[in-house]
Amino acid sequence: MVVNDPTAMRAAALMGLGVTLLAVPDVLPQLERGELVRLLPRWYVDAGAISIYYATRSQMPARTRVFIDFVAEAFEREQLGRRFAGSLG
């Protein structure tokens, strides 16, 4: 089976149809519940940093600052950096 949709790939793996390569955020709940298992727990592809880009810091709209703070706090609170890392195992 060949598909290019992470949702379909996850569904196929959950149905026991084979092995798939997905980003941790696409399967994190299933990994944490034990519904899926990492076959190579010490191997991962580094997709790079997660970044927020915006035009400038000078005269930044308040809503932009609020959004940046919200994302940073969510990553800290939910430990998303550790959970999304390839070190789940």
Side-chain angles (χ1 to χ4, degrees), residues 54-72:
Y54 47 91
T56 179
R57 288 182 183 214
S58 65
Q59 300 177 344
M60 178 187 298
R63 64 179 174 245
T64 303
R65 179 79 258 161
V66 168
F67 175 73
I68 292 168
D69 292 343
F70 168 78
V71 171

Side-chain angles (χ1 to χ4, degrees), residues 2-85:
V2 177
V3 295
N4 65 356
D5 176 52
T7 302
M9 295 165 70
R10 181 182 59 230
L14 286 167
M15 289 188 287
L17 297 178
V19 176
T20 188
L21 174 64
L22 288 165
V24 172
D26 290 329
V27 292
L28 187 60
Q30 292 78 19
L31 289 171
E32 291 178 337
R33 289 192 300 261
E35 296 169 356
L36 292 176
V37 177
R38 289 186 67 148
L39 296 180
L40 302 169
R42 303 219 189 294
W43 183 88
Y44 66 96
V45 175
D46 184 359
I50 298 173
S51 303
I52 297 176
Y53 293 97
Y54 47 91
T56 179
R57 288 182 183 214
S58 65
Q59 300 177 344
M60 178 187 298
R63 64 179 174 245
T64 303
R65 179 79 258 161
V66 168
F67 175 73
I68 292 168
D69 292 343
F70 168 78
V71 171
E73 289 170 12
F75 262 72
E76 182 71 28
R77 181 181 60 253
E78 301 296 326
Q79 300 178 6
L80 296 177
R82 180 192 60 77
R83 293 170 64 205
F84 285 177

